[in-house]
Amino acid sequence: MDSSSKETITTTALDAVIKGALVILPLTIAVIPWGILAGSFALDAGLTPMESQAMSAVIFAGAAQLVALGMIKTGVGLTGILITTLLITSRHFLYGMAMREQISPMPLKWRLTLGFLLTDELFAIANQGKQHKLDPWFAFGGGFSFYLGWNIATAIGIIAGQTLPNLDSWGLDFAIAATFIAIVVPAVKKPSILICVLVSLVMSLICELMNIQAGLLIAALSGMTSGTLYAKVTGEKA
Amino acid sequence: MIWLTIITMAILVFASRYLFLEPKLPVRLSKNTLTFLSYSAPAVLTAIFAPIVFIQEGELALSLDNSYLIAAVLAAVLAFTTRNILLTTVVSMGLFFIIH
């Protein structure tokens, strides 16, 4: 690690917050249909408007929320919901580990704040490698503006869900796929990442078709392992 | 019961995000571990989006009837050629909502 005393170019906190918000803006826009889905689907699963909004405000995890709502709707108990949530949220352990060198030396208030805001989308804009010093205000601007977008979209979904029937048949879940494709494809910068993505893709389909609950975890770990091994065997540059 | 679900889920999600940001946690990450982790985002995100795109009603749907697949192919092409997240998501979602 290079010396931590190295100062980055001095920008004011506000500039960094705005910059973070702008860099994440495409993802904030793309999360709107997904947030609408989370709000309307929550009502559909029998939650009150207040509970529906609280899900987005307190949990702030789209994939986990949608899967949990599906389980609430079909009457699965709390234990089942929590085990599934753990599986879905387990990727955040990996994000936390990847950001550890950058964020763990920061004061507690920053660790708690950025920890709460550490979504797939924030990770996509903030994880720029160890040599790049992370500005907490930049990460906050990205994470918090995304949080606002997610919650406003949820509120829209709650209002729309009360007035428009069959919102769930609109295919709002395509927004999830579009967002993740837009993040993943440009990230494929070397052959090992392509291998990782292809293995994860095929494994996730196999697990889904076989109804394996831990499919997400199995697929992701298979992809990561394959990519790492491929890079090692071929001596690919980092 | 719903509130209990929301609060326990929130604790679990937050714990998973915060755990490795805690400096007191005695973990030193080797270079190999960091390399392994650099593959986490593409692997996890792919594992989430692939079933949405390729599987419809519990079956593999590799046909032109699958509007998710058509729009996803467009998204992949746009993402590859433009590297522009906003353009990719907006145009592919536009196509999706037209053909769906």
Side-chain angles (χ1 to χ4, degrees):
Chain A
M1 246 177 79
D2 29 295
S3 72
S4 53
S5 61
K6 197 169 123 191
E7 289 290 320
T8 48
I9 307 154
T10 40
T11 44
T12 66
L14 185 63
D15 283 346
V17 169
I18 292 169
K19 189 170 170 231
L22 286 175
V23 171
I24 210 168
L25 186 62
L27 296 170
T28 310
I29 292 170
V31 89
I32 291 170
W34 188 356
I36 293 174
L37 182 67
S40 62
F41 192 37
L43 291 184
D44 192 40
L47 276 66
T48 64
M50 180 80 177
E51 291 164 342
S52 306
Q53 189 68 54
M55 257 197 138
S56 285
V58 182
I59 303 175
F60 187 39
Q65 286 176 226
L66 289 174
V67 173
L69 287 169
M71 298 178 88
I72 290 171
K73 204 179 168 189
T74 51
V76 177
L78 184 59
T79 314
I81 292 174
L82 291 181
I83 291 170
T84 309
T85 301
L86 184 61
L87 290 173
I88 297 171
T89 200
S90 61
R91 68 188 188 282
H92 296 115
F93 288 123
L94 306 172
Y95 296 169
M97 278 200 227
M99 300 301 292
R100 179 175 172 83
E101 288 196 30
Q102 305 256 26
I103 298 179
S104 72
M106 292 180 186
L108 181 67
K109 66 168 185 144
W110 274 127
R111 297 200 308 270
L112 293 174
T113 307
L114 298 181
F116 178 75
L117 296 173
L118 188 58
T119 54
D120 297 304
E121 286 81 359
L122 180 59
F123 181 70
I125 69 151
N127 181 42
Q128 294 165 346
K130 276 173 291 169
Q131 57 277 38
H132 189 101
K133 196 171 181 293
L134 179 69
D135 180 342
W137 287 107
F138 170 82
F140 175 75
F144 187 66
S145 63
F146 189 76
Y147 177 80
L148 288 180
W150 175 244
N151 276 282
I152 292 168
T154 303
I156 295 171
I158 293 168
I159 295 162
Q162 289 166 318
T163 46
L164 302 169
N166 303 327
L167 207 61
D168 55 331
S169 67
W170 290 17
L172 293 172
D173 54 345
F174 180 73
I176 302 170
T179 304
F180 288 174
I181 290 170
I183 295 177
V184 170
V185 172
V188 181
K189 287 178 184 146
K190 45 189 182 178
S192 62
I193 301 179
L194 182 62
I195 301 287
C196 160
V197 165
L198 291 177
V199 169
S200 176
L201 191 151
V202 171
M203 287 300 290
S204 71
L205 297 183
I206 294 172
C207 290
E208 180 80 10
L209 290 170
M210 292 174 69
N211 265 318
I212 298 171
Q213 289 251 326
L216 178 65
L217 198 60
I218 295 170
L221 289 174
S222 309
M224 292 165 71
T225 308
S226 310
T228 307
L229 290 177
Y230 180 88
K232 215 150 206 139
V233 169
T234 59
E236 186 182 77
K237 278 190 203 148
Chain B
M1 190 59 189
I2 294 292
W3 283 107
L4 183 66
T5 307
I6 292 174
I7 290 162
T8 47
M9 279 181 70
I11 292 170
L12 210 50
V13 169
F14 177 74
S16 73
R17 286 173 176 163
Y18 182 76
L19 184 67
F20 289 101
L21 303 180
E22 171 55 52
K24 290 201 192 78
L25 192 78
V27 186
R28 281 186 56 90
L29 300 176
S30 68
K31 200 159 174 284
N32 283 334
T33 313
L34 288 171
T35 305
F36 181 67
L37 288 172
S38 69
Y39 294 95
S40 64
V44 172
L45 302 183
T46 300
I48 293 176
F49 85 69
I52 296 175
V53 169
F54 291 97
I55 296 177
Q56 301 304 330
E57 291 164 22
E59 294 190 18
L60 200 60
L62 297 175
S63 77
L64 292 175
D65 297 338
N66 181 358
S67 43
Y68 286 83
L69 183 59
I70 307 291
V73 169
L74 175 70
V77 170
L78 287 174
F80 184 75
T81 51
T82 69
R83 319 234 141 200
N84 182 323
I85 293 177
L86 183 60
L87 181 83
T88 301
T89 48
V90 170
V91 174
S92 66
M93 286 197 287
L95 173 72
F96 177 81
F97 289 120
I98 292 168
I99 63 178
H100 183 63

